[in-house]
Amino acid sequence: MSIIVQKFGGTSVATAEKIRNAARRAIEAKKTGHQVVLVVSARGKKTDELVNLAAEITDRPSPREMDVLLSTGEQETIALMSMAIHSLGESAVSLTGPQIGILTDNASTKARIQQINTSRMRELLDAGHIVVAAGFQGHDRHGNITTLGRGGSDTTATALAAVLNASLCEIYTDVEGVFTTDPRIVPEARQVPHISYDEMLELASLGAGVMHSRSIEFAKKYRVPLRVRPSFNDGMGTLIAATPSNPPPVVTGVALVKDEMRVSLRDVPNRPGVMSLIFSEMAARKIPIDLVVQDAAEGGTAEVSFTVPRGDFADALTAAEQAVSKLGSGSVHHGTQLAKVSIVGSGMQSHRGVAAKMFQTLAEQNINILMISTGEIKISVLIEANRAEDAVRAIHHSFGLDQPFSSQTAEATIEPVKHNAPVVDAEREQEVVLRLANMEDIVVHDVLVDSNQARITIKNVVDQPGIAARLFAAVAEGGMMVDLIVQNVSQNGRTNITFTIPRDECQNCLQLIQNSLDLGDDVVLSHNDNIAKVSVAGIGLRSHTGVGEKMFGVLAEKEINIDLVGTSEMRMTAVIDRNHADRAEKALSEIFHID
Ligand code: ADP
Ligand code: ASP
Ligand code: MG
C-alpha cells in the first residue's frame, strides 16, 4: 500500500476548526487507499510566542533548554490532531520526534537529521492507524530533545517521506502554492505550477520562506515528489520535481532576505589560507555565509566580505575576530540594515542579458547595488534594506513575472545562447546519496574544472546606481555571456567589479568596455586569461557549512591562492591560477572521495 505524507503548517492548524479540516484531509487520503503520516507544526504563532517568552527570562537562553521549550509547540498539535481524527471516527496515534526515533546530531536549535527509525511508524500504519508526527524535532544520541531550525517541519515531512519511500509528500500551507515571489510583498505574484528541486532549493535558501530549504535537499536527494498545496481549498498547488518546466523559465522567482548582515575583514594578509580560515571559523559555528567577495589591495593585503543571516550575526563577528587574530593582522567591520534580493531560474544558464536587466531595473529605481554575487541559476545583490521591497516589486515586474511565463523570453534584451553548462550527473549523485552514513551528510558528486575562462576586473568605479547596469548591458549587447560576477563592498565611494567570460572573447570584451563606456579617469581595467574555475558540485552546498571549509582547506594546504569565490546550493566555485588547476582537481577529488 502506498504511503502519503501530509504536512500542515502553523496557520493551517491554528484553530480547532482548522485542525479538524486537516484531520479530514488525512482521513480522505486514507479512504482512497493510502497509509497516511500527518506531520504538524506548532499552532499559529506558538513558536514565536515561546521564543519571546524565553527572551523575557534571559537574553542568553541555553540552546538545549530552548529546544525543550520549542518542541512543546508541536507536541500540543499532535495530541489535538489525533483527538480530532478520533472524533471523526478514525484511528490515529501521535508520536513526538524522539518517539519516532528521529536521531539528530547535537547541534541544539539547528540540528541535522542522521537517521530515522521507521519500525514504530510502520507497525502503526500496518495496524491501520494514521500516524500523527511532530514536525521540527528529534533527539540526539544522549536522548536530548533537539529542533531542526525555524521552519523545520517541512524537513521532518520530506525526511519521513524519504525513509518511508512515500509516493507523495504534500505540504499544506496558507498560500495557493509556490509563487513567483512572496505574495505578501507583491500581490500580483503568480502561482508557479511546476518548479525544479534546484530552483526551489536556491529560492528557499535565498529567502523564499514558503519552504525550509533543507526539506528540498531531502526531496532532491531521495527523489521525493513534493507538492505545496493550499490548506484552505482544493487547489493542486505547485509540484516540486527533478526537472524544470519545459522550456525552463529564464527567471522563476525573486527571493528576499530583509535583514542580511555584512561582515568584512580588512587588511588581512593576501596569501593562501585566508579563505580557508574564514570558512572554517564559520563552519565551526554552523554559520552559512553568502555573497563572499574578496579583493586584493596594494601592499599585499586583502579584504574579504560576506553576508550572514541576522540570527548568526553576533557569532559571525566573534568568529571573524578569531580569524583576524589567527592571521596576525587585519580588522573586522560590518554593515547592517541591508537586504539581499535574488533572482532564480534554470533558463539563466542559456540566456544572456539577465544580469544586465536585473541591474538596469535597480538603476531605474535609483537603488544602489552594494555587492553582487552570482551562481549557475541565481543572481544575488545586496542593497539598503529600506529599498528592499521596491527592488523586489520592480524586478518582479521587469522580468514579466506577473505575466504568463511564455512572454518572458520574447524580449529583445534577453537572448538565448548555446547552452554548454555541464549537465549534472544524476546517477553519480544517487550513488553518493546511497553511500551516506547520515541522512543529512554532505553530498558532493563532482569536481569540475573550466579552463576556458578569463577574468576581467574593473577597479575604482564610482559607486552609484547604474554602473553595473551599463557595464553588463554593453557586454550582453556585444553578444558575450558573462559567468561569475562579483562586486565588492565600496570604500571611499569606489568599488570593483569582476567577472569571468570565455577566454576567446576577453580581448573583445576589454575593447568594448573601453570604447563604449565612460567609466571615469581613475578606473583601472585589468584582466587575467590564465585562470581556471574549479567547482565542486553537490546538493545544498552553501547551507552545509562544511563544504567551503573542506574545499578551501584543501586548496590552502596545496598553497593555491583564490582569486574569486562563487557559492550556490549546487556549486562551490573558486577561481585560481590555471597552472594549479590539475593539482586542485586532484586534491578536491581526493578529499570529496570522487573517483
Ligand atoms: P507554514 O506555517 O505553512 O509552514 P510559512 O509561513 O512557513 O507557512 O510559509 C508560507 C508563507 O511563505 C506564505 O504565507 C508567504 O507569505 C511566504 N512566502 C515567501 N515567499 C513565497 C513564495 N515564493 N511563494 C509562496 N509563498 C511565499
Ligand atoms: N514551529 C516551528 C517554527 O515555527 C517549525 C515549523 O513551523 O516548521 O519554526
Ligand atoms: Mg513553514
Side-chain angles (χ1 to χ4, degrees), residues 195-202 216-226 240-244 377:
I195 190 169
S196 70
Y197 292 136
D198 286 331
E199 289 166 320
M200 193 64 232
L201 185 51
E202 285 294 355
I216 315 297
E217 286 180 36
F218 268 105
K220 176 168 174 161
K221 277 156 78 167
Y222 300 99
R223 303 282 153 175
V224 179
L226 202 56
I240 308 176
T243 48
I377 61 164

Side-chain angles (χ1 to χ4, degrees), residues 276-289:
S276 158
L277 182 64
I278 292 172
F279 270 89
S280 78
E281 289 292 334
M282 298 299 151
R285 294 163 177 82
K286 292 211 168 181
I287 304 174
I289 67 179

Side-chain angles (χ1 to χ4, degrees), residues 200-217:
M200 193 64 232
L201 185 51
E202 285 294 355
L203 278 174
S205 108
L206 293 168
V210 62
M211 291 293 291
H212 198 229
S213 77
R214 283 161 52 195
S215 69
I216 315 297
E217 286 180 36

Side-chain angles (χ1 to χ4, degrees), residues 41-42 47 74 136 150-154:
S41 294
T47 312
E74 271 69 11
F136 174 59
R150 298 301 307 269
S153 295
D154 297 331

Side-chain angles (χ1 to χ4, degrees), residues 509-567:
C509 187
L510 288 166
Q511 278 273 255
L512 191 144
I513 295 171
Q514 253 153 359
N515 296 346
S516 64
L517 288 179
D518 178 19
L519 292 168
D521 289 345
D522 307 328
V523 169
V524 182
L525 197 58
S526 67
H527 73 284
N528 181 354
D529 51 16
N530 198 36
I531 60 158
K533 246 179 72 186
V534 290
S535 327
V536 298
I539 304 174
L541 301 193
R542 188 175 47 232
S543 321
H544 281 264
T545 52
V547 185
E549 181 184 26
K550 261 188 172 174
M551 172 164 182
F552 295 109
V554 81
L555 294 176
E557 222 172 79
K558 301 283 167 200
E559 304 253 317
I560 297 173
N561 215 359
I562 290 145
D563 214 6
L564 277 183
V565 172
T567 61

Side-chain angles (χ1 to χ4, degrees), residues 439-477:
M439 291 188 82
E440 283 199 79
D441 280 356
I442 295 170
V443 172
V444 167
H445 51 75
D446 255 320
V447 172
L448 307 161
V449 177
D450 179 353
S451 301
N452 295 316
Q453 299 266 318
R455 169 179 66 68
I456 293 183
T457 299
I458 305 164
K459 277 199 159 189
N460 247 353
V461 184
V462 178
D463 185 22
Q464 62 190 29
I467 294 295
R470 275 162 53 210
L471 171 64
F472 291 106
V475 175
E477 275 160 30

Side-chain angles (χ1 to χ4, degrees), residues 7 9-11 154 172-175 177-179 181-184 208-210:
K7 177 254 170 180
T11 319
D154 297 331
Y172 286 96
T173 184
D174 61 358
V175 274
V178 176
F179 280 66
T181 195
D182 190 340
R184 275 187 259 191
V210 62

